[in-house]
Amino acid sequence: MTASFDSAEELMEHLKKQIIEFPNSEETITYSVEKKTGTGILDLTSFRNECDANNSLWNVSTDRPITSHRKLTGKFIVLGKKVVRKLLRWHVGNTFEMQTTFNGSVTRSFNELYNVVLQLTAKQEQYETHIQEQQKHIQRLENKLNNLDMQREVKIGMNNFKTEINEFKTEFDELKTEFDNLKTEKSIEKHKSEEDIANVISEVRSSQNNYVRSFNELTNLITDRFNTLDDKFKAEINFMQYRLRKIKNQSLTESSGKLPMLIEPNEKVETDSNSFDYLHFENKFRGSVDEIKKRQTVYLPYFINKENVLDIGCGRGEFIELMLENSVSVKGIDLNREMVEYCQDRGLPVEYNDAIQYLHSVEDNALGGIFLGQVIEHLTFEQIITLVELSYNKLKAGSYLIMETPNPLSLAIFYRTFYVDPTHVKPVHPLTIQYLVESIGFKEAKLNYSSRVEPNWWLPTLDVEEAAIKNVNEFNEGINRINELLYGNLDYAIIAKK
């Protein structure tokens, strides 16, 4: 049952009645506090006062001082009461001891409850402050989106200006036509020679050609500039929409009104994956979309003129864009919902799905190619085996499976890239993955290494005559091997043909 009480005395009285009336009842009592301040925070003043009173009165003793206000008979009354108390002590002593123990337990419970309420109240204030900050951040993002809309309006205005220039060019051509007509219709003044007229016409035509050439150059320059700005604005708007959606989702979660549960000391606490912004992480550490597309063009010849290509773990969609730009039908899947929504905002054919589950749903010999860019280092080896087996079954004959991943033969990955990403499991040795695809049935399996460390990191070799220093060639070969080990290619790809 549910009850509300204004003081600790009322609660204790109610508990006594419940114990007497329902000694074996399993019904529980839920105590609710209804008093709140104008700000929505609980007013705990009365509760604190009652706790203080309980702390001072919980110890009930049978040895309380016995006094009397009567002068003559007071001593006899006090003596009589002491005798009676001594005679009854054996009967009521245990009862008083049990009552004292119960009072102490209830008082300690109220003290702990008060501390918990204080902690929850402080948490509530923190959440309200954080929600207000997130709302301000959302407002700033919306203002930035409005600014981007204004810039797009400027672009529209420039397009209108280009249209007016085209109209002006048309009017100029009409005036030229009228001029040519007048030249044929009217006789030329006698004092002007034909040579002078020809020179004038030549100058007019030269000026016209210069004007048209300058106009075309200006038009091409403006068009290229607007295309660049349009792509940039689209990318910024898509990223802002992604960030705005993420912040709103976090705000909705935090403002749902759920207070944190008390956690046992040995209870495992799971981390909320939404707190890690993987898209922003890739933008900062992996490189721009254009840079990654440029690196991936080396794989383009293996997918040209293919159909139904699958990009597993498509991320920001660089490989999908590269395929679409070369008229290759492609589809991407990813297990990061925010990445999927970001790609969908950009109009890319991407869906949220697990790679192994998706491949199980595809018919055998149906895919024209499979690409995994920086994916297998996120998987266990058992998952990699299953993925390669399914890929072999689903690929058409003559199609390629390409998997790009960090190269453990170069120690540079360990201090530069691999451990920067907290979602990496472990690197895969290139000979291991080559053996795996060959054992499953791929008839061609070659390794392609890329992304070598910048030359300014390499150890220099000795540039001297062989006669000047003994074994200088062997020394330089050793330096080259050290450079290969420490500063070799950061990535490799296994290119397997079915």
Side-chain angles (χ1 to χ4, degrees):
M1 62 182 290
T2 302
S4 299
F5 307 98
D6 295 329
S7 66
E9 286 82 358
E10 292 183 10
L11 173 61
M12 295 301 298
E13 186 65 28
H14 185 75
L15 288 174
K16 291 177 182 178
K17 291 181 180 179
Q18 292 292 316
I19 293 171
I20 295 172
E21 295 178 6
F22 308 104
N24 298 319
S25 175
E26 296 180 355
E27 187 176 8
T28 59
I29 300 175
T30 303
Y31 180 77
S32 62
V33 182
E34 298 180 351
K35 293 184 179 181
K36 293 184 178 181
T37 64
T39 61
I41 306 301
L42 293 176
D43 183 3
L44 303 176
T45 304
S46 177
F47 189 22
R48 178 69 267 179
N49 293 336
E50 297 298 338
C51 287
D52 292 339
N54 288 344
N55 288 328
S56 62
L57 299 175
W58 67 272
N59 190 8
V60 180
S61 175
T62 58
D63 296 327
R64 296 177 57 186
I66 300 176
T67 59
S68 176
H69 63 280
R70 299 179 181 179
K71 296 181 179 180
L72 298 178
T73 60
K75 294 181 179 181
F76 299 101
I77 293 174
V78 170
L79 179 61
K81 288 182 178 181
K82 288 183 177 180
V83 172
V84 172
R85 182 173 66 182
K86 189 170 184 179
L87 292 175
L88 293 178
R89 185 185 299 275
W90 67 272
H91 181 68
V92 299
N94 290 336
T95 302
F96 270 86
E97 184 177 353
M98 292 173 61
Q99 183 65 47
T100 301
T101 302
F102 174 76
N103 292 348
S105 176
V106 171
T107 301
R108 287 190 297 272
S109 299
F110 276 123
N111 290 336
E112 290 297 323
L113 178 60
Y114 179 73
N115 292 332
V116 171
V117 171
L118 286 180
Q119 294 174 6
L120 294 180
T121 303
K123 263 308 189 198
Q124 179 183 359
E125 294 176 351
Q126 293 178 2
Y127 284 147
E128 290 181 351
T129 302
H130 184 63
I131 290 172
Q132 292 175 359
E133 293 175 354
Q134 294 293 340
Q135 289 174 343
K136 292 179 181 178
H137 192 187
I138 290 173
Q139 185 62 42
R140 289 195 297 268
L141 289 176
E142 290 176 345
N143 293 336
K144 191 167 185 178
L145 285 175
N146 292 334
N147 293 334
L148 290 175
D149 290 338
M150 292 178 62
Q151 292 175 350
R152 293 181 70 87
E153 290 178 0
V154 171
K155 176 187 173 182
I156 294 173
M158 293 300 293
N159 287 335
N160 293 336
F161 173 70
K162 185 169 70 172
T163 302
E164 292 178 0
I165 292 178
N166 290 332
E167 293 175 353
F168 176 78
K169 179 184 176 183
T170 302
E171 293 178 359
F172 180 86
D173 291 337
E174 292 176 353
L175 288 174
K176 178 180 176 299
T177 301
E178 292 180 3
F179 174 78
D180 292 336
N181 292 335
L182 287 174
K183 182 183 67 173
T184 57
E185 292 176 358
K186 295 183 179 181
S187 61
I188 302 174
E189 295 180 0
K190 293 181 179 180
H191 64 277
K192 291 289 185 180
S193 65
E194 292 182 358
E195 184 179 356
D196 293 335
I197 294 174
N199 291 335
V200 171
I201 292 174
S202 177
E203 291 178 359
V204 170
R205 287 178 177 175
S206 177
S207 299
Q208 179 190 10
N209 292 334
N210 291 334
Y211 170 79
V212 172
R213 184 168 54 253
S214 299
F215 172 78
N216 290 334
E217 292 176 356
L218 178 61
T219 301
N220 293 333
L221 181 63
I222 292 175
T223 302
D224 293 340
R225 180 60 176 167
F226 276 132
N227 289 336
T228 302
L229 290 176
D230 186 54
D231 293 338
K232 181 180 179 181
F233 289 153
K234 285 181 180 178
E236 289 185 0
I237 289 174
N238 288 333
F239 185 70
M240 287 301 171
Q241 288 175 340
Y242 155 80
R243 294 287 291 171
L244 185 61
R245 181 169 55 246
K246 182 178 180 68
I247 292 173
K248 285 185 176 180
N249 290 339
Q250 289 179 345
S251 298
L252 289 174
T253 301
E254 293 172 355
S255 61
S256 60
K258 295 182 179 179
L259 292 174
M261 300 295 291
L262 295 178
I263 300 172
E264 296 296 331
N266 297 325
E267 184 177 353
K268 181 180 179 181
V269 183
E270 295 185 357
T271 303
D272 184 5
S273 60
N274 290 330
S275 62
F276 187 78
D277 191 340
Y278 200 76
L279 175 60
H280 187 266
F281 177 83
E282 282 216 343
N283 289 340
K284 182 176 179 63
F285 290 104
R286 190 174 185 206
S288 66
V289 171
D290 292 336
E291 181 181 353
I292 300 303
K293 282 172 59 180
K294 185 177 179 181
R295 293 183 199 170
Q296 293 175 346
T297 53
V298 68
Y299 308 122
L300 185 58
Y302 301 99
F303 297 99
I304 288 293
N305 300 324
K306 300 290 185 179
E307 295 181 352
N308 199 18
V309 173
L310 178 64
D311 183 6
I312 296 176
C314 60
R316 297 175 297 182
E318 300 96 338
F319 183 77
I320 295 177
E321 277 190 323
L322 181 63
M323 293 295 102
L324 295 177
E325 290 171 359
N326 289 274
S327 302
V328 178
S329 61
V330 64
K331 180 178 183 178
I333 60 174
D334 204 291
L335 269 180
N336 188 305
R337 290 189 184 277
E338 293 172 348
M339 287 288 197
V340 172
E341 292 173 354
Y342 174 74
C343 290
Q344 291 173 346
D345 287 341
R346 299 169 62 203
L348 300 179
V350 175
E351 71 175 44
Y352 175 83
N353 214 325
D354 174 76
I356 294 177
Q357 292 179 356
Y358 181 81
L359 288 174
H360 275 299
S361 67
V362 176
E363 295 181 0
D364 289 349
N365 305 309
L367 297 178
I370 298 177
F371 179 75
L372 296 91
Q374 304 293 325
V375 173
I376 61 173
E377 66 272 14
H378 297 264
L379 308 177
T380 63
F381 191 65
E382 290 75 14
Q383 291 174 321
I384 296 174
I385 294 175
T386 303
L387 194 61
V388 174
E389 290 175 343
L390 285 171
S391 298
Y392 182 81
N393 294 332
K394 306 305 176 180
L395 282 171
K396 298 177 182 178
S399 298
Y400 288 89
L401 167 66
I402 298 180
M403 297 182 287
E404 183 189 78
T405 188
N407 175 27
L409 297 181
S410 174
L411 298 182
I413 70 166
F414 298 105
Y415 63 82
R416 291 189 61 167
T417 58
F418 191 82
Y419 290 113
V420 174
D421 191 335
T423 63
H424 285 171
V425 177
K426 64 178 181 180
V428 183
H429 197 284
L431 297 182
T432 302
I433 201 68
Q434 186 179 38
Y435 169 79
L436 175 63
V437 296
E438 289 175 344
S439 64
I440 287 176
F442 286 92
K443 60 183 181 181
E444 293 182 16
K446 64 178 182 178
L447 295 168
N448 181 64
Y449 295 90
S450 61
S451 303
R452 188 176 177 88
V453 175
E454 300 83 359
N456 61 304
W457 283 69
W458 302 351
L459 296 175
T461 57
L462 296 179
D463 187 13
V464 297
E465 296 291 337
E466 183 176 0
I469 300 179
K470 186 178 180 180
N471 297 330
V472 65
N473 290 335
E474 290 82 354
F475 177 83
N476 287 337
E477 289 175 2
I479 292 295
N480 290 333
R481 286 194 294 271
I482 293 175
N483 283 331
E484 192 67 28
L485 177 65
L486 297 179
Y487 311 115
N489 294 288
L490 297 176
D491 298 317
Y492 77 89
I494 183 71
I495 303 176
K497 182 179 181 180
K498 179 177 178 180

